[in-house]
């Protein structure tokens, strides 16, 4: 009798455990919400969508705002489905995190306003204003002789990332050709200084050793800078020193997009 009673108790415990497990599974499933935003499906938790009170999404989940359903019974929101990933990431992370090179600030700001997320809208507008301010500021790169800064090339551009790209390219080439001689050139924020500049009939060479080993001519750097600029969508605004009569012989290049 005792064994039968014990068996029944174990069976009851298992049933209760299974019942509790099924209830937990049910609660977890009901906390998941699928949204159809402009044809793109997103699955997230209820607590994520209701993170900001009085927002559009919180209103839908809590029944304050009527929302249509698609054929599969998912909430349908007729907005930009691709941009919604940034809305959802903001709800998940609590901060604005965008991929490098993101250029749709104005559209995202409109989406943030539609979803009634004031904090996100302000963050996007602040980011947009900073980018516009940065685009108006001209940055430069100076490639010069460490003994005579009048010798060399100056590249100006209103896009800091392009200046950084040219700089990394020149440093990469210089290191590859100066293996074992790192002291022959130094790099700072906006200046690359080579140890020796020697002018010859073939133009100005970046001479590094007594045996006339050199990286390249300044003319080569100018041509490469111009080609990189054109590939990136920039145009040569003007030579800042037209007295030389030729872009190749000028001391500075100015690019703008």
């Amino acid at each position: 009798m005792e064994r039968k009673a014990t068996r029944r108790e174990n069976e009851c415990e298992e049933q209760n455990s299974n019942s509790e497990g099924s209830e937990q599974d049910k609660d977890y499933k009901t906390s998941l919400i699928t949204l159809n935003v402009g044809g793109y499906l997103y699955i997230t938790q209820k607590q994520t969508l209701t993170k900001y009170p009085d927002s559009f999404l919180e209103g839908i989940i809590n029944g304050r705002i009527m929302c249509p359903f698609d054929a599969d019974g998912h909430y349908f929101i007729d907005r930009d489905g691709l941009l919604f990933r940034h809305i959802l990431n903001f709800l998940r992370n609590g901060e604005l995190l965008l991929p490098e090179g993101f250029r749709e600030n104005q559209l995202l700001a409109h989406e943030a306003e539609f979803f009634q997320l004031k904090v996100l809208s302000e963050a996007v507008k602040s980011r947009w204003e900073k980018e516009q301010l940065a685009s108006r500021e001209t940055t430069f790169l100076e490639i010069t002789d460490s003994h005579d800064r009048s010798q060399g090339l100056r590249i100006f551009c209103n896009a800091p990332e392009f200046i950084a790209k040219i700089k990394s390219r020149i440093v990469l080439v210089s290191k590859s050709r100066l293996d074992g001689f790192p002291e022959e050139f130094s790099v700072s924020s906006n200046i690359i200084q080579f140890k020796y500049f020697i002018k010859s009939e073939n133009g100005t060479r970046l001479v590094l050793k007594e045996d006339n080993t050199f990286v390249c001519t300044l003319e080569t750097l100018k041509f490469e800078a111009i080609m990189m600029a054109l590939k990136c969508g920039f145009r040569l605004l003007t030579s800042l020193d037209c007295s030389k009569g030729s872009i190749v012989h000028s001391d500075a290049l100015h690019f703008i997009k």
Side-chain angles (χ1 to χ4, degrees), residues 176-189:
S176 67
R177 297 186 182 180
L178 297 177
D179 186 23
F181 305 104
E183 73 281 359
E184 300 299 340
F185 74 100
S186 61
V187 182
S188 60
S189 59

Side-chain angles (χ1 to χ4, degrees), residues 25-33 44-48:
D25 290 342
K26 184 177 180 181
D27 291 340
Y28 179 74
K29 289 179 180 179
T30 55
S31 71
L32 295 180
I33 305 295
T44 187
Q45 296 185 55
K46 181 178 179 181
Q47 65 188 40
T48 301

Side-chain angles (χ1 to χ4, degrees), residues 52 90 94-96 112 116-125:
Y52 288 87
F90 173 77
E95 60 178 323
L96 178 62
Q116 299 171 18
L117 294 167
K118 186 178 180 181
V119 178
L120 175 58
S121 177
E122 291 176 351
V124 175
K125 290 178 180 178

Side-chain angles (χ1 to χ4, degrees), residues 42-44 48-49 84-92:
Y42 292 90
I43 301 177
T44 187
T48 301
L49 298 176
F84 186 74
R85 63 177 282 228
H86 306 304
I87 302 289
L88 192 55
N89 281 333
F90 173 77
L91 294 175
R92 290 166 173 161

Side-chain angles (χ1 to χ4, degrees), residues 73-106:
H74 307 313
Y75 290 108
F76 177 75
I77 304 174
D78 190 15
R79 302 299 295 185
D80 192 317
L82 285 174
L83 283 178
F84 186 74
R85 63 177 282 228
H86 306 304
I87 302 289
L88 192 55
N89 281 333
F90 173 77
L91 294 175
R92 290 166 173 161
N93 302 311
E95 60 178 323
L96 178 62
L97 299 172
L98 296 173
E100 184 179 350
F102 183 80
R103 289 291 181 268
E104 297 183 302
N105 293 295
Q106 188 173 6

Side-chain angles (χ1 to χ4, degrees), residues 170-186 193-195 206-209 213-216:
I170 293 174
V171 170
L172 178 65
V173 171
S174 301
K175 285 183 176 180
S176 67
R177 297 186 182 180
L178 297 177
D179 186 23
F181 305 104
E183 73 281 359
E184 300 299 340
F185 74 100
S186 61
Q193 290 186 326
F194 288 89
K195 193 169 183 178
L206 283 58
V207 179
L208 304 164
K209 288 294 179 183
T213 303
F214 69 96
V215 176
C216 61

